[in-house]
Amino acid sequence: MDIEDLAQRVAKGERRALARAITLVESARADHREQAAALLDALPKDRQALRIGLSGTPGVGKSTFIESFGMMLTGAGKRVAVLAVDPSSSRSGGSILGDKTRMDRLSRDPGAFIRPSPSQSHLGGVGRRSREAVALCEAAGFDLILIETVGVGQSETVVSEMADIFVLLLAPAGGDELQGVKRGIMEIADLIVVNKADGDLRAAAKRTCADYAGALRLLRKRPQDPEGFPKAMTVSALEDDGLREVWDTIGTLVDWRRENGHWDKTRTGQARFWFEQEVRRSLLAVLETARARELLAEYGGRVAAGDCVAAAAAQAFLERLDKDAASN
Ligand code: GDP
């Protein structure tokens, strides 16, 4: 594979090249990982898209929202990429965005690029692949990247580490309960959007929104928020109502964060976070090498036989591994 050529075509915004590049970063093969790293390094680094993380449990209207929101933005001349982080790989019946009929209009829009979620692997792997896919879309010149995830807790944290803005999408609640939304998720949300504020559901949506607005006011104020944020608002994705307000609100928040240095601070913090994740991953990968397995078996045997305690054996194991690496 000609990585230099692929990088150039991605940088020109060629969709097929972008799709191929994402397939490459999603691969777990060692040679592909090397090529992926070279590809990412060869891409322009001076482009920034607005990255919006969007979370919500199945059925709240994520795809309907993304389609309406995306169409509104492509209509305004913006280029929009949609990616998914799907931690529940074992989920049957198709992963999020896996179903081609979802976002039918947006997927045919030349201003949009939609990538279904990768189907395998554990959360950490999904996080890395998604982050690299985001970097590819950014290098390809997209203005906006929507990163969708199903609300299961851990995936939101991963998505918030690659997003500039985090939106939690909810549906109107039947009662007065706060829908079991975990505090941790409330704390990373910049915007809570209560969908389906139309027809018979309108009143319930307004109530739910007021409940969340109240709950948000009880949270500790974060340094990255201007007065009045995080905010709760209602929309109807189906009727295209309130989406412009959501976009304007995001714009207000982004402008404030840029002016006050929080935008850059978040981005550099995220870059460090992902670098450290890579280091961790690489260190763990060392344990999977043949030599490490051999030594693990050897020292494991000694511990099992009672010749050596675990802590001392671990120390000796690491020293041997280090020595071997140095002599290679
Ligand atoms: P997802 O699973 O979160 O992606 O949810 P979908 O976008 O597939 O929507 C789930 C259901 O809610 C579908 O039947 C949609 O038609 C419906 N829905 C989505 N948005 C709205 C809305 O704004 N108002 C109403 N009344 N229904 C909606």
Side-chain angles (χ1 to χ4, degrees):
M1 196 184 301
D2 185 344
I3 294 298
E4 208 40 61
D5 177 61
L6 185 59
Q8 278 175 17
R9 290 196 288 123
V10 169
K12 277 193 219 145
E14 284 181 29
R15 313 163 67 91
R16 280 183 53 199
L18 176 60
R20 249 184 96 201
I22 295 180
T23 303
L24 181 65
V25 302
E26 282 174 358
S27 170
R29 261 174 55 181
D31 56 333
H32 287 168
R33 283 309 308 156
E34 250 172 62
Q35 291 177 327
L39 173 67
L40 288 160
D41 206 38
L43 287 167
K45 292 171 187 64
D46 56 348
R47 296 181 178 171
Q48 274 196 351
L50 171 58
R51 307 164 172 183
I52 301 178
L54 180 82
S55 167
T57 48
V60 298
K62 288 182 300 301
S63 43
T64 312
F65 177 85
I66 291 172
E67 177 152 85
S68 300
F69 196 65
M71 297 291 294
M72 176 184 81
L73 294 168
T74 57
K78 302 232 176 277
R79 295 183 64 215
V80 178
V82 182
L83 303 168
V85 176
D86 183 3
S88 49
S89 52
S90 58
R91 196 148 55 101
S92 58
S95 56
I96 45 175
L97 295 180
D99 180 355
K100 283 275 191 273
T101 61
R102 288 184 81 208
M103 303 182 211
D104 190 34
R105 284 183 305 145
L106 192 61
S107 63
R108 282 184 277 114
D109 189 323
F113 175 86
I114 299 183
R115 178 72 178 192
S117 58
S119 56
Q120 355 73 324
S121 192
H122 56 97
L123 190 62
V126 170
R128 178 178 66 182
R129 285 197 294 271
S130 306
R131 196 234 338 147
E132 291 179 346
V134 167
L136 290 170
C137 291
E138 201 157 46
F142 282 90
D143 301 300
L144 193 93
I145 304 170
L146 284 162
I147 312 153
E148 178 192 6
T149 186
V150 167
V152 292
Q154 215 184 340
S155 65
E156 278 90 351
T157 317
V158 171
V159 169
S160 75
E161 286 293 350
M162 60 181 95
D164 302 305
I165 300 285
F166 191 84
V167 177
L168 177 63
L169 198 67
L170 297 172
D176 54 5
E177 81 283 13
L178 290 186
Q179 294 178 46
V181 173
K182 294 199 184 66
R183 193 188 163 90
I185 296 171
M186 296 268 296
E187 281 169 349
I188 58 172
D190 296 305
L191 212 57
I192 288 183
V193 175
V194 182
N195 188 31
K196 310 194 184 184
D198 49 50
D200 293 345
L201 292 168
R202 188 189 301 274
K206 295 277 175 210
R207 260 198 322 272
T208 302
C209 180
D211 288 347
Y212 277 94
L216 286 174
R217 277 194 292 273
L218 297 178
L219 294 179
R220 194 160 45 89
K221 188 168 164 12
R222 307 176 304 180
Q224 69 269 34
D225 290 330
E227 211 45 58
F229 280 89
K231 248 191 203 348
M233 46 205 307
T234 57
V235 299
S236 167
L238 208 57
E239 295 186 353
D240 254 338
D241 190 19
L243 301 175
R244 166 66 53 190
E245 286 76 4
V246 168
W247 179 239
D248 290 346
T249 303
I250 289 173
T252 303
L253 186 55
V254 167
D255 289 347
W256 189 88
R257 286 188 180 164
R258 280 188 190 281
E259 283 158 21
N260 291 278
H262 293 291
W263 174 279
D264 287 338
K265 205 169 153 199
T266 304
R267 285 260 174 156
T268 50
Q270 288 174 340
R272 268 182 202 281
F273 171 84
W274 288 110
F275 161 69
E276 285 175 17
Q277 292 288 102
E278 280 299 312
V279 170
R280 274 201 188 90
R281 175 183 305 279
S282 305
L283 285 177
L284 285 177
V286 171
L287 288 181
E288 299 301 321
T289 58
R291 180 61 180 150
R293 286 181 170 282
E294 206 177 290
L295 289 175
L296 273 177
E298 182 188 324
Y299 284 97
R302 289 194 207 171
V303 173
D307 295 340
C308 197
V309 296
Q315 202 65 45
F317 161 80
L318 287 172
E319 277 163 19
R320 279 273 294 282
L321 205 58
D322 226 19
K323 213 176 290 163
D324 285 6
S327 64
N328 273 335

